[in-house]
Amino acid sequence: MARATRTDNWGFPRWGGYGSSREATTVRLCDRHGCTEKGDCPAPKSPNSPERWYFCQEHAGEYNRGWNYFEGLTAEEAAEREAAETRTAEGYTASKHNAWAGPGDGSRSRDEMRALDLFDLEPDCSFDQVRTAWRKMAKENHPDLRPGDAEAAKRFQAIQAAYDVLRVAEEEREWKPTA
């Protein structure tokens, strides 16, 4: 049994210098023939292969400048592979108009959506567009302009109720300082 030797760390492991362990560290050399630099930059050996070369920074740059992912493929095969591997955001194009905390960002209630449907407006419309549509429809269906038309009176009441829902929602959305 080996005899314990004295140390000066007194039980505090951080008293020694960092990296002063006695174990040897392994260093991977650059895979380029004749290079003795540290090879810490992985590069693919072939497309869609998990195997990698490990080059130093200088040789990795040289390898990457000459790398052609589509080498050995016809133009049609290359275009087909590129199309298959290109990720797009096409599924999100319908919501690209949404802005943070603005109209149309999913913060509209069911009643607001029904009111917007009555005015034939999109969920992301501004309140000025709502006001314009309300004025136009109210003028067309106003009881004073169409006396005795019960359907126009019902439509006018629905238009007024829808506008009130949207107006109140817009007022709640706007920040107002407390007095």
Side-chain angles (χ1 to χ4, degrees), residues 37-60:
E37 296 291 318
K38 182 178 175 185
D40 57 355
C41 298
K45 286 188 176 183
S46 64
N48 300 325
S49 172
E51 295 179 12
R52 301 280 186 246
W53 296 107
Y54 287 89
F55 295 118
C56 63
Q57 210 166 16
E58 180 184 341
H59 291 127

Side-chain angles (χ1 to χ4, degrees), residues 68 70-83:
N68 182 3
F70 300 110
E71 187 176 359
L73 299 176
T74 65
E76 293 85 25
E77 291 173 334
E80 197 175 297
R81 181 177 281 182
E82 183 178 9

Side-chain angles (χ1 to χ4, degrees), residues 174-179:
E174 292 178 6
W175 180 81
K176 294 177 184 163
T178 57

Side-chain angles (χ1 to χ4, degrees), residues 96-169:
K96 68 182 176 185
H97 60 274
N98 294 341
W100 287 100
D105 63 345
S107 62
R108 296 230 189 244
S109 69
R110 184 177 298 150
D111 292 335
E112 290 176 79
M113 295 302 290
R114 277 195 228 126
L116 289 171
D117 284 341
L118 181 75
F119 291 127
D120 291 328
L121 295 173
E122 296 292 322
D124 64 332
C125 68
S126 67
F127 190 69
D128 291 333
Q129 292 171 322
V130 170
R131 188 178 297 122
T132 304
W134 166 70
R135 284 185 179 155
K136 180 183 169 206
M137 291 180 77
K139 284 181 184 178
E140 292 172 358
N141 296 296
H142 199 279
D144 290 344
L145 296 175
R146 294 181 168 212
D149 190 355
E151 278 298 312
K154 280 186 178 180
R155 281 195 305 268
F156 182 75
Q157 288 176 349
I159 290 165
Q160 285 301 110
Y163 178 73
D164 287 340
V165 165
L166 292 170
R167 182 183 50 79
V168 168

